[in-house]
Amino acid sequence: MKKVLAILLCVAMVTAIALTGCGGGDGGSSSDSGSGSASTAKENAGNVAAVLNPALGDKSFCDSCWAGLNEIKDKYGVDVDYFEAKDDQTKIIPALTEYAESGNYGIIVAGGNRNVEPTQAVIEAFPNQKFFYYDASIQDSENGPYSNAFSMVYKQNEGSYLVGWLAGKLTQSGTIATFGAAENDVIWDFIYGYLEGAQAARDDIKVITTFVGDWSNVTKAKDLANDAMSQGADVLFHVAGGAGAGMFEAIAENGDGKVWGIGVDSDQYAEYAEDKPEIASRILTSMIKNVGNSLVWAYDKVVEGSLEWGENVSLGIAEDAVGPAESGPFLELDQSLLDEYEQVKEDVASGKITVGTAYGKTSEEQQAFANSFRP
């Protein structure tokens, strides 16, 4: 990997010149006093910049990251900035390098499974620059752990346990479904939590588990949702990014007002409420990864002097880093059910309920676990 990263860095030093500036056409900033001139109204850890991939408007990680940075800005009086890579991997290293070379930012933020190696290259090249990384460990490499970086992963199995529990409570048929984008450990971890939560709510639960194959095939997701509903599934949960829109479309068109959909990563009820109320009305909740909350949490710890640089931490319900969106139809559930839900949530947060994980399991074991729930 060293040779690959060295080449990437050489390319970055050349191509960084071609960027119009991380606050320019592919980026933006939010400040009261100009880039690099953070307010000292209260103790802080410096300005913050983020390299977002793909871009703002994803109603997912990028929007959540930017919301978190703006909360840090408002709380500490610092300047914040972003650059949008727009799914162009060749822009990651140049953008991170430009931010690091500027000397204007106490912390630089990046995230996602696809961007780990490019970010590691820049972390190695700038040992005096601090970095946050979300949704993957940045510390796992031949040169790690990195004492100038801190990474956060999320206990998606815990949040998925709660939405699975809700699905198990609300199903009328006793059959529910889940759709993954791809068969990897992260997606399987969502599924593990969902299956365990559903079984905790209803011990005879049946779950149809299928995979779209990518993150954008709306038609395939729609076909899978229609097929699941034809088998009696009346609560459907997607972990499929943009492809999940197909599931919601299928529910709105063919669910007869009796099928619930559960979204992922962002509050998808809020996403659809204004423009497509017919879809929003059938979105029970969404399993959110609160990237923004986790960035504020980490920045707070830097200011407090308690953050352990060089570490990778796993954040869950207790840290408000994951969990169901509590909006829309969720708020209209019977109070007795909501009270029971709050107790389950508290038990997961405290560790009284331990949720199983897909990590450490072989692909055969993961598939066998899902198959044990099939109708």
Side-chain angles (χ1 to χ4, degrees):
M1 188 178 84
K2 283 184 178 180
K3 181 180 288 187
V4 173
L5 297 184
I7 293 171
L8 288 172
L9 270 177
C10 289
V11 172
M13 298 305 178
V14 175
T15 58
I17 299 172
L19 292 178
T20 59
C22 289
D26 287 325
S29 64
S30 178
S31 67
D32 296 320
S33 53
S35 181
S37 56
S39 166
T40 56
K42 63 185 297 187
E43 183 180 359
N44 62 64
N47 298 333
V48 188
V51 173
L52 306 175
N53 195 22
L56 292 180
D58 67 344
K59 294 181 170 41
S60 186
F61 284 178
C62 292
D63 285 353
S64 183
C65 175
W66 184 233
L69 264 60
N70 277 284
E71 185 173 340
I72 291 169
K73 172 200 164 188
D74 292 342
K75 187 173 183 178
Y76 290 101
V78 299
D79 295 345
V80 295
D81 192 66
Y82 68 90
F83 176 84
E84 298 171 296
K86 299 180 180 177
D87 274 330
D88 185 346
Q89 290 298 104
T90 67
K91 292 182 177 180
I92 301 298
I93 288 180
L96 290 170
T97 298
E98 187 169 341
Y99 277 135
E101 287 184 333
S102 75
N104 290 333
Y105 301 94
I107 296 170
I108 298 172
V109 179
N113 286 299
R114 295 177 297 168
N115 306 318
V116 170
E117 286 197 6
T119 306
Q120 286 172 330
V122 182
I123 289 172
E124 291 177 17
F126 295 91
N128 296 319
Q129 172 68 58
K130 300 297 188 184
F131 295 84
F132 283 168
Y133 202 88
Y134 59 84
D135 203 38
S137 174
I138 205 69
Q139 308 297 351
D140 303 328
S141 82
E142 59 188 10
N143 295 326
Y146 302 104
S147 60
N148 59 326
F150 179 79
S151 58
M152 299 164 281
V153 295
Y154 304 100
K155 298 177 184 177
Q156 53 269 328
N157 58 329
E158 288 190 352
S160 297
Y161 182 95
L162 294 179
V163 299
W165 184 87
L166 287 167
K169 285 291 184 180
L170 292 174
T171 179
Q172 297 296 308
S173 67
T175 298
I176 61 177
T178 181
F179 313 100
E183 294 192 59
N184 59 45
D185 286 346
V186 174
I187 300 300
W188 274 112
D189 209 40
F190 277 95
I191 293 170
Y192 259 63
Y194 184 69
L195 297 178
E196 287 195 0
Q199 187 175 53
R202 180 166 175 161
D203 59 13
D204 64 343
I205 197 72
K206 299 298 180 185
V207 187
I208 299 165
T209 300
T210 52
F211 293 88
V212 178
D214 63 39
W215 301 90
S216 59
N217 195 333
V218 173
T219 300
K220 177 69 175 295
K222 189 171 184 176
D223 290 343
L224 291 175
N226 280 324
D227 182 64
M229 288 189 290
S230 73
Q231 297 180 61
D234 58 1
V235 186
L236 315 181
F237 173 41
H238 87 83
V239 193
M247 183 195 80
F248 292 130
E249 290 174 8
I251 291 172
E253 293 170 8
N254 301 313
D256 297 325
K258 299 176 182 178
V259 177
W260 286 114
I262 298 175
V264 77
D265 289 341
S266 63
D267 183 349
Q268 298 203 289
Y269 165 80
E271 177 181 338
Y272 284 101
E274 183 174 350
D275 296 331
K276 297 184 178 180
E278 72 282 3
I279 288 179
S281 67
R282 300 312 304 169
I283 298 179
L284 173 64
T285 184
S286 300
M287 209 309 281
I288 296 177
K289 286 187 180 182
N290 288 313
V291 170
N293 286 4
S294 67
L295 293 174
V296 176
W297 174 86
Y299 193 97
D300 286 344
K301 287 192 171 296
V302 176
V303 173
E304 295 165 3
S306 60
L307 189 93
E308 296 290 339
W309 292 103
E311 294 291 317
N312 175 67
V313 299
S314 184
L315 306 176
I317 297 294
E319 295 82 15
D320 194 27
V322 298
E326 299 177 358
S327 62
F330 173 92
L331 298 175
E332 299 172 6
L333 296 175
D334 290 343
Q335 189 58 50
S336 60
L337 179 60
L338 290 175
D339 290 343
E340 191 176 355
Y341 160 83
E342 287 296 333
Q343 184 60 58
V344 174
K345 182 178 180 180
E346 182 180 324
D347 289 346
V348 172
S350 69
K352 183 176 180 179
I353 293 176
T354 302
V355 183
T357 178
Y359 290 102
K361 308 291 196 307
T362 66
S363 58
E364 291 78 14
E365 289 172 328
Q366 292 166 346
Q367 190 63 61
F369 183 63
N371 288 343
S372 70
F373 288 85
R374 287 195 175 278

